[in-house]
Amino acid sequence: FGCSDTAQKEITIHPQPTDSFTVESVCLGDSIELTNLSSSSDGSITNYWNVGTGFAPGDSIKTHLFNQIGTYTIHHKSVSKFGCADSSSQQASIFYVDEPSIAHTGNCVNELILFNATDAEPDSIVSYLWVIATDTIRTPTTSYQFGAPGTYTVSLQTTTNNGCTSDTTSVITID
């Protein structure tokens, strides 16, 4: 009957963190490095990373090794000490690494021996670097003449259009 009451309670609205991270694409066999750049005006945040296996808490810097070439979506979530959250996603590519083999014809002293790089994906190779004896050659195929019998190591480094390098060596005997 005409009774009234008023209640007041002060509440604090906490800001949402701003989620951000960096990731770079890498060559197969290398780990990606994820670096958290998130911030919160309310202090510390907890990081949660998802590299395809579900969210899990982690450090500000995380590494992960993917075992196959392809493009992967990486997810990150930042949660403030008050439970406010923000998330973001980025893609990382894992690039092909060529695995060349060395083929050669002949094995006689003073004979012109042809060396050929056999590549699994030759269209992706942008540079070749042969090291034969003390010479360096930068072509997919080359020839070389050994002036003395012996055992020689021939090295080949290939680089793909994504900057992935691969090294291989072959030991040949010249009679």
Side-chain angles (χ1 to χ4, degrees):
F1 316 22
C3 299
S4 69
D5 193 9
T6 303
Q8 289 185 350
K9 181 175 181 173
E10 190 175 301
I11 61 168
T12 302
I13 305 297
H14 296 282
Q16 181 180 23
T18 303
D19 192 78
S20 177
F21 68 98
T22 62
V23 61
E24 291 186 14
S25 296
V26 297
C27 302
L28 185 64
D30 293 337
S31 294
I32 60 169
E33 184 173 281
L34 309 167
T35 303
N36 174 40
L37 301 175
S38 303
S39 62
S40 174
S41 59
D42 261 351
S44 66
I45 55 174
T46 302
N47 298 292
Y48 294 90
W49 298 98
N50 181 347
V51 292
T53 56
F55 278 100
D59 295 328
S60 290
I61 297 176
K62 176 179 176 60
T63 59
H64 185 78
L65 178 66
F66 289 101
N67 293 319
Q68 294 182 345
I69 61 171
T71 301
Y72 298 87
T73 301
I74 312 298
H75 305 277
H76 182 261
K77 185 179 356 179
S78 298
V79 180
S80 74
K81 62 184 175 183
F82 298 104
C84 302
D86 188 25
S87 62
S88 61
S89 300
Q90 292 191 48
Q91 291 189 324
S93 293
I94 308 303
F95 298 123
Y96 167 79
V97 176
D98 188 53
E99 295 180 14
S101 61
I102 298 172
H104 71 280
T105 60
N107 64 340
C108 296
V109 172
N110 296 322
E111 175 184 16
L112 198 59
I113 299 173
L114 177 65
F115 291 94
N116 184 38
T118 306
D119 305 298
E121 298 283 337
D123 291 343
S124 69
I125 304 301
V126 294
S127 75
Y128 295 84
L129 175 62
W130 293 92
V131 178
I132 303 173
T134 58
D135 294 336
T136 58
I137 302 108
R138 297 183 182 275
T139 58
T141 61
T142 189
S143 56
Y144 196 84
Q145 187 172 343
F146 294 92
T151 302
Y152 296 89
T153 300
V154 176
S155 299
L156 171 63
Q157 181 182 76
T158 56
T159 304
T160 67
N161 54 350
N162 290 310
C164 300
T165 60
S166 182
D167 297 294
T168 190
T169 58
S170 180
V171 176
I172 65 169
T173 301
I174 301 299
D175 298 321

